[in-house]
């Protein structure tokens, strides 16, 4: 485990109102597992400030789910890396497959977003992963190579985190099997070592249908430093059970 601490990251996507966030932390805090894991939560950007306030006495890291690739200017509806950092967030998810697929984010936009995040002192959490068609066509390694190199080739000093999330495993209740995860993570590690000076120290997370019932399976896979959780992170007791399952 890099830094001897696993990372459990929660992506809340477009869920939860102010009241629901308050209720979540009422049940979720305090946490006793902080010595063995880093807990990261990405709420809707609208509630970043509220979430930061609610968690200020904990070690939970709060981040955004997306940022603009430009620094500022006429980009109606966008939120800049600088604004996200300004409210106190510490990380940002970049290149989630829902952004790539539904909002047509391109490799070049993702590469710029990584640069913006690093410029603003926000830790990038870069998501990569293949579709089912790509896996079935034997293209997984190629997709990982393309996505990682296009995102990171300009940043040999990249110091973020990478999440391998096969698209077909996200929100389907069908996580990748252990062999697939091990192979993909090894591939990512090899690529990171080629692309980045500290490529052997970049944490690698697995994401895609992680739940409290299956999380234990992932923790002993080589090169898995943590998990990125969507649906199962929305309930406080479920997220707590995932943290316990991965770290104990
Ligand atoms: P899931 O989502 O845990 O609901 O599959 C993971 C993600 O989208 O990061």
């Amino acid at each position: 485990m890099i830094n001897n601490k696993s990372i459990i990251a929660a992506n809340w996507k477009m869920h939860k109102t102010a009241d629901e966030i308050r209720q979540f932390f009422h049940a979720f805090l305090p946490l006793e597992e902080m010595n063995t894991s880093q807990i990261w939560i990405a709420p809707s950007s609208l509630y970043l400030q509220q979430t930061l306030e609610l968690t200020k006495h904990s070690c939970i890291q709060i981040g955004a789910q997306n940022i603009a690739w430009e620094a500022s200017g006429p980009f109606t509806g966008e939120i800049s890396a600088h604004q996200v950092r300004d409210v106190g967030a510490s990380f940002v998810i970049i290149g989630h497959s829902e952004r790539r697929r539904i909002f047509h984010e391109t490799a070049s936009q993702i590469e710029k977003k990584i640069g913006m995040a690093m410029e603003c002192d926000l830790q990038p959490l870069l998501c990569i992963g293949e579709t089912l068609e790509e896996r079935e066509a034997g293209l997984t390694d190629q997709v990982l190579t393309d996505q990682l190199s296009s995102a990171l080739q300009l940043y040999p000093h990249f110091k973020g985190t990478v999440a391998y999330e096969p698209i077909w495993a996200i929100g389907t209740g069908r996580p990748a099997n252990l062999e697939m995860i091990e192979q993909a993570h090894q591939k990512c590690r090899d690529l990171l070592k080629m692309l980045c000076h500290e490529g052997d120290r970049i944490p690698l997370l697995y994401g895609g249908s992680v739940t409290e019932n299956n999380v234990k399976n992932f923790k002993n896979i080589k090169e898995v430093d943590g998990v990125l959780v969507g649906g199962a992170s929305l309930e406080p007791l479920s997220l707590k059970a995932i943290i316990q399952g991965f770290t104990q």
Side-chain angles (χ1 to χ4, degrees):
M1 210 60 63
I2 289 166
N3 301 330
N4 291 327
K5 275 202 180 187
S6 43
I7 298 171
I8 312 295
N11 174 7
W12 281 354
K13 308 192 181 182
M14 202 169 66
H15 294 289
K16 292 197 187 295
T17 59
D19 228 27
E20 287 164 352
I21 291 177
R22 224 170 287 121
Q23 283 166 24
F24 177 94
F25 286 109
H26 187 71
F28 190 64
L29 297 170
L31 280 169
E32 285 99 45
E33 294 84 12
M34 296 308 299
N35 290 335
T36 45
S37 56
Q38 300 181 44
I39 298 161
W40 297 7
I41 297 183
S44 152
S45 285
L46 199 54
Y47 302 118
L48 277 173
Q49 238 165 336
Q50 182 203 5
T51 308
L52 280 155
E53 182 62 28
L54 286 166
T55 55
K56 68 180 175 198
H57 298 303
S58 77
C59 301
I60 299 172
Q61 305 281 317
I62 303 301
Q65 300 170 16
N66 182 34
I67 46 169
W69 65 85
E70 293 286 350
S72 63
F75 300 99
T76 303
E78 288 292 285
I79 297 173
S80 73
H82 179 69
Q83 290 167 327
V84 168
R85 185 69 193 125
D86 189 41
V87 296
S90 54
F91 74 94
V92 58
I93 299 174
I94 294 179
H96 190 280
S97 66
E98 286 154 16
R99 301 284 331 160
R100 294 180 194 254
R101 227 168 12 96
I102 306 170
F103 300 101
H104 310 294
E105 252 178 39
T106 65
S108 128
Q109 291 165 352
I110 288 164
E111 178 254 294
K112 287 187 190 143
K113 288 181 184 201
I114 299 271
M116 283 309 317
M118 294 203 300
E119 232 174 80
C120 294
D121 207 18
L122 272 177
Q123 198 184 150
L125 168 43
L126 170 67
C127 298
I128 56 170
E130 81 287 359
T131 62
L132 189 58
E133 294 70 35
E134 288 164 340
R135 173 161 285 278
E136 286 174 351
L139 294 173
T140 302
D141 276 8
Q142 191 55 53
V143 171
L144 299 179
T145 307
D146 291 348
Q147 291 183 351
L148 267 185
S149 7
S150 63
L152 301 182
Q153 62 196 351
L154 296 180
Y155 312 111
H157 296 289
F158 177 77
K159 281 215 182 72
T161 299
V162 171
Y164 167 61
E165 297 203 297
I167 295 170
W168 48 271
I170 295 177
T172 58
R174 202 158 59 89
N177 70 36
L178 308 192
E179 199 187 340
M180 291 171 180
I181 299 173
E182 187 168 325
Q183 280 173 7
H185 278 236
Q186 190 56 58
K187 179 73 190 168
C188 292
R189 176 63 67 212
D190 294 345
L191 288 161
L192 287 172
K193 283 198 214 159
M194 275 172 10
L195 290 161
C196 307
H197 295 317
E198 296 194 21
D200 55 343
R201 302 192 47 76
I202 293 169
L204 275 170
L205 314 185
Y206 166 73
S209 294
V210 174
T211 65
E212 60 187 286
N213 299 323
N214 61 25
V215 69
K216 276 192 164 60
N217 300 337
F218 308 122
K219 71 176 184 183
N220 293 322
I221 305 178
K222 198 165 161 263
E223 303 293 0
V224 173
D225 302 300
V227 286
L228 174 53
V229 191
S233 72
L234 293 169
E235 290 301 324
L237 299 185
S238 158
L239 184 56
K240 268 194 172 183
I242 289 173
I243 297 164
Q244 278 158 1
F246 196 85
T247 50
Q248 287 168 10

